[in-house]
């Protein structure tokens, strides 16, 4: 049993890796240039995918937790799932994170966590922002039905088992980007090099359409001695005063005020470059 | 395009209660042309428009609930280049600062009292405003150094915190002052944290410059011979070879110190 999660429902719905990769492979085969790219980039994309951290941006509709409490408790609380759709899939609680990007556009502070923070926790993932299915994401083909049951079906068809997210990320990146690192660095309003395989789009080109969302269904701890916490990215210098003494050294201040997404990308990109460079050497 | 003339200021992206003495926050505006949504202004355009990030009222409320934004009790007419300058109750000399702001005619209206007792000032951020903010930062830094020389470390820290928050770009000297004050108050972890933060935020060269600034400051504050400032510190922005330049400077600093 996993707390308040209707684990049996969710466990039944979550797809394992081979099933999640099937439509990705089908999309690649259907398009010659995409297929060639996926083939050529597979190794590099998998290397990037394995190293991508998780990013939580502090803002969630209805969240009762203030920033100061988060600093004190040092855990990201899994709260009531944002949408009815998730609840119908058996998700009662979730802490929302994006893989490799601060794609959620609001929130003045972002926490960058090692994926080890999720070890032992019940988790799921989707290759898009699940909450955005309600508001911001529509089918690329306007003739496709997009009522509530179609959205439910879409969510469940793209609901992966959290343990597989890193293994999914590599092929996902290879199928969408000519340079896998572009997934990390592309801005809020952007498109991948190849259209999202799930056939959805955002009219404003919001990157949440193709950024992998990871949901932890229990609280996510920063870990003993905060060893899962890689960085706290703050939108401006005045936020440093809010940090407890031992967390100041984890901070990164955005170069331009309020450019949290860009500062997170710079940090992840820099570390990935160093890690992959060292690996290659 | 969203016209500024159609907008009203309804809030700002600042903490309702903040520990830093000063904050500069982007404004949140509503527009008659976009009911049910608000915009966080990111740029004022020359043609009278604004650019920004739109969100729903529900999202704006969530930002307030999570302590990251404030809503004003009433809305105000918007003005070009405006941002909210928050002078917290722990901003030493804030009445004088407010008087300067008032006489500068940079304020869109008189200050808005915020829930924690802060002065919320809607300021037109023209060159004159930047000059004023830089002047306050410089004064705060001078005050921090003066208190440090007098051994008043708590006051030095408060002034250093003010200088750090007022500074428009991260500066090695301001971080060094904060580090020295924290170190002297027995807050070694925090002091080291600032250096790590500097390295993570701006790179190795910047961190090296901060270390140099700290050493210079230690010499200066302890009343020993101050090393001439002309050659030791490299440019603030990391440049090619700056790290070696700083290392050379460090070496000279060590050999020239008594």
């Amino acid at each position: 049993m996993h707390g308040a999660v209707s684990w049996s429902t969710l466990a039944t719905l979550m797809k394992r890796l081979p099933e999640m990769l099937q439509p990705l492979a089908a999309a690649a085969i259907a398009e010659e240039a995409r297929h060639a790219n996926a083939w050529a980039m597979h190794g590099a994309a998998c290397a990037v995918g394995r190293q991508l951290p998780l990013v939580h941006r502090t803002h969630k509709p209805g969240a009762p937790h203030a920033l100061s409490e988060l600093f004190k408790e040092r855990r990201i609380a899994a709260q009531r799932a944002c949408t009815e759709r998730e609840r119908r899939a058996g998700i009662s609680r979730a802490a929302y994170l994006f893989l490799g990007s601060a794609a959620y556009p609001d929130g003045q502070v972002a926490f960058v966590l090692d994926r080890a923070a999720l070890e032992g926790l019940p988790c799921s993932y989707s290759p898009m922002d699940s909450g955005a299915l309600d508001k911001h994401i529509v089918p690329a083909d306007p003739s496709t039905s997009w009522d509530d049951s179609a959205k439910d079906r879409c969510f469940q068809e793209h609901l992966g088992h959290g343990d597989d997210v890193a293994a999914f990320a590599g092929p996902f990146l290879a199928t969408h980007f000519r340079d896998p690192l572009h997934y990390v660095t592309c801005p809020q309003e952007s498109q991948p090099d190849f259209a999202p395989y799930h056939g959805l789009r955002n009219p404003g080109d919001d990157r949440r359409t193709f950024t992998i969302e990871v949901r932890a269904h229990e609280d996510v701890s920063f870990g003993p001695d905060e060893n899962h916490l890689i960085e706290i990215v703050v939108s401006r210098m005045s936020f440093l005063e809010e940090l407890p003494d031992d967390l100041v050294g984890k901070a990164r201040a955005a170069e331009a005020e309020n450019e949290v997404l860009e500062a997170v990308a710079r940090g992840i990109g820099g570390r990935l470059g160093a890690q992959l460079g060292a690996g290659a050497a | 395009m969203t016209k500024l003339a159609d907008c009203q200021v309804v809030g700002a992206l600042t903490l309702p209660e903040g520990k830093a003495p000063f904050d500069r926050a982007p404004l949140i505006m509503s527009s008659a042309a976009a009911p049910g949504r608000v915009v966080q202004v990111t740029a004022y355009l020359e043609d009278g428009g604004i650019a920004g990030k739109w969100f729903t009222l529900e999202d704006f409320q969530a930002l307030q609930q999570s302590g990251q934004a404030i809503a004003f009790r009433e809305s105000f007419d918007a003005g070009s280049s405006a941002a909210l300058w928050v002078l917290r109750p722990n901003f030493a000399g804030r009445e004088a600062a407010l008087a300067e702001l008032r006489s500068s005619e940079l304020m869109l209206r008189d200050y808005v009292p915020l829930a924690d007792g802060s002065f919320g000032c809607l300021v037109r951020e023209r060159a004159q405003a930047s000059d004023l903010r830089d002047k306050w930062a410089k004064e705060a830094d001078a005050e921090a150094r003066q208190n440090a020389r007098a051994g008043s470390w708590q006051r030095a820290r408060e002034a250093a915190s003010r200088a750090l928050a007022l500074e428009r770009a991260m500066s090695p000297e301001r971080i060094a002052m904060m580090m020295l004050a924290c170190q002297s108050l027995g807050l070694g972890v925090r002091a080291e944290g600032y250096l790590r933060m500097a390295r993570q935020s701006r790179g190795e060269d910047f961190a090296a410059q901060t270390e140099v600034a700290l050493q210079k400051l230690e010499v200066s504050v302890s009343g020993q011979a101050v090393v001439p400032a002309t050659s030791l510190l490299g440019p603030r922005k990391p440049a090619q070879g700056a790290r070696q330049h700083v290392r050379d400077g460090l070496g000279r600093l060590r050999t020239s110190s008594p």
Side-chain angles (χ1 to χ4, degrees):
Chain A
M1 281 295 289
H2 287 286
V5 177
S6 308
W7 188 244
S8 57
T9 310
L10 182 59
T12 314
L13 291 175
M14 281 190 300
K15 297 182 185 339
R16 293 313 305 225
L17 187 62
E19 216 179 333
M20 287 295 282
L21 292 180
Q22 267 175 17
L24 205 53
I29 290 165
E31 195 184 335
E32 198 177 328
R34 187 202 286 263
H35 188 239
N37 188 76
W39 187 255
M41 282 295 132
H42 183 77
C46 287
V48 170
R50 277 194 296 272
Q51 305 280 356
L52 288 175
L54 301 159
V55 184
H56 173 78
R57 202 156 170 185
T58 53
H59 167 74
K60 178 179 172 291
H65 280 65
L67 204 51
S68 54
E69 287 173 59
L70 212 154
F71 290 141
K72 204 164 77 182
E73 293 173 10
R74 299 175 185 224
R75 61 176 57 235
I76 298 163
Q79 290 162 4
R80 183 176 153 81
C82 279
T83 63
E84 272 303 321
R85 178 159 306 102
E86 291 163 274
R87 289 191 278 276
R88 284 197 289 274
I91 299 169
S92 51
R93 294 172 67 215
Y96 295 90
L97 307 111
F98 279 114
L99 189 70
S101 169
Y104 200 87
D106 303 327
Q108 306 213 47
V109 179
F111 295 86
V112 183
L113 296 154
D114 193 285
R115 270 206 330 278
L118 300 185
E119 265 171 27
L121 297 183
C123 298
S124 57
Y125 73 94
S126 308
M128 84 289 273
D129 174 7
S130 60
L133 289 174
D134 276 325
K135 295 186 239 174
H136 310 293
I137 299 180
V138 294
D141 175 359
S143 66
T144 306
S145 143
W146 196 234
D147 57 15
D148 222 33
S149 62
K151 291 177 186 176
D152 273 0
R153 207 165 44 246
C154 174
F155 176 63
Q156 292 178 16
E157 279 169 1
H158 297 95
L159 180 61
H161 199 290
D163 291 351
D164 299 332
V165 67
F168 175 81
F172 177 81
L173 265 54
T175 315
H176 289 90
F177 294 94
R178 292 201 168 88
D179 172 1
L181 274 180
H182 189 51
Y183 170 81
V184 171
T185 55
C186 63
Q188 190 75 47
E189 287 176 16
S190 52
Q191 291 180 336
D193 297 315
F194 299 95
Y197 79 105
H198 45 52
L200 302 174
R201 64 179 278 271
N202 171 266
D205 292 336
D206 193 304
R207 67 162 295 158
R208 281 175 287 176
T209 314
F210 58 86
T211 306
I212 299 171
E213 178 187 85
V214 180
R215 295 167 297 268
H217 304 301
E218 287 181 5
D219 295 355
V220 181
S221 161
F222 292 175
D225 300 325
E226 285 68 46
N227 60 356
H228 297 324
L229 180 64
I230 298 171
E231 264 182 2
I232 301 172
V233 177
V234 297
S235 59
R236 49 189 186 267
M237 291 289 284
S238 54
F239 275 92
L240 294 175
E241 279 289 349
E242 309 301 323
L243 298 178
D245 291 348
D246 61 327
L247 294 186
V248 172
K250 295 273 189 183
R252 170 190 290 266
E255 288 201 16
E257 283 190 349
N258 304 306
E259 291 193 347
V260 173
L261 177 120
E262 293 80 357
V264 167
R266 214 167 284 125
I268 295 175
R271 282 187 299 276
L272 274 175
Q275 285 163 350
L276 299 176
Chain B
M1 186 191 78
T2 308
K3 288 183 188 164
L4 184 60
D6 293 340
C7 291
Q8 289 271 301
V9 179
V10 295
L13 277 185
T14 188
L15 304 180
E17 290 176 32
K19 291 178 186 162
F22 175 84
D23 192 20
R24 181 265 177 208
L27 296 180
I28 295 173
M29 296 185 187
S30 65
S31 164
R37 295 196 303 158
V38 290
V39 59
Q40 173 200 330
V41 182
T42 54
Y44 293 91
L45 310 175
E46 282 181 6
D47 57 3
I50 53 168
K53 214 161 68 179
W54 288 89
F55 34 80
T56 62
L57 292 177
E58 186 195 13
D59 284 343
F60 181 34
Q61 272 170 2
L63 277 169
Q64 292 167 55
Q65 284 165 5
S66 62
Q68 298 181 71
I70 58 165
F72 297 126
R73 283 188 193 142
E74 51 180 318
S75 58
F76 310 112
D77 289 339
S80 186
S81 312
L84 185 74
W85 286 16
V86 183
L87 278 52
R88 303 274 181 202
N90 61 345
F91 187 122
R94 68 175 180 154
E95 282 77 13
L98 181 65
E100 276 188 278
L101 262 179
R102 278 173 171 153
S103 63
S104 71
E105 296 181 356
L106 290 165
M107 289 168 73
L108 288 180
R109 47 157 292 134
D110 201 18
Y111 79 89
V112 184
L114 305 184
D116 69 340
S118 296
F119 299 158
C121 304
L122 291 161
V123 175
R124 282 191 191 89
E125 288 191 319
R126 294 173 180 157
Q128 197 191 345
S130 300
D131 291 347
L132 197 56
R133 191 169 152 182
D134 292 347
K135 181 177 96 70
W136 292 346
K138 215 169 158 183
E139 285 170 359
D141 185 58
E143 192 183 313
R145 285 164 190 259
Q146 197 179 12
N147 279 306
R149 283 192 197 97
S152 304
W153 289 107
Q154 188 53 43
R155 285 184 180 173
R157 189 198 163 178
E158 285 163 13
S161 166
R162 197 165 79 244
L164 204 61
L166 282 162
E167 197 72 61
R168 288 184 294 134
M170 200 186 288
S171 137
E173 289 79 13
R174 305 291 188 254
I175 294 168
M177 185 65 239
M178 192 61 161
M179 286 174 67
L180 184 61
C182 288
Q183 220 164 21
S184 304
L185 287 167
L187 303 171
V189 171
R190 194 170 187 91
E192 285 170 27
Y194 276 106
L195 186 61
R196 278 205 290 275
M197 179 280 300
R199 182 174 293 113
Q200 274 149 206
S201 305
R202 301 292 184 270
E204 288 290 345
D205 287 330
F206 186 90
Q209 289 176 45
T210 304
E211 284 181 288
V212 172
L214 177 63
Q215 293 199 18
K216 263 189 76 180
L217 196 58
E218 281 171 336
V219 171
S220 160
V221 163
S222 66
Q224 294 172 29
V226 179
V227 180
T230 47
S231 63
L232 289 176
L233 291 175
R236 276 189 185 184
K237 295 232 171 189
Q240 196 77 350
R243 203 168 166 192
Q244 190 56 49
H245 176 71
V246 169
R247 280 201 188 119
D248 293 344
L250 264 173
R252 272 181 283 159
L253 178 65
R254 285 189 189 114
T255 51
S256 64
S257 296

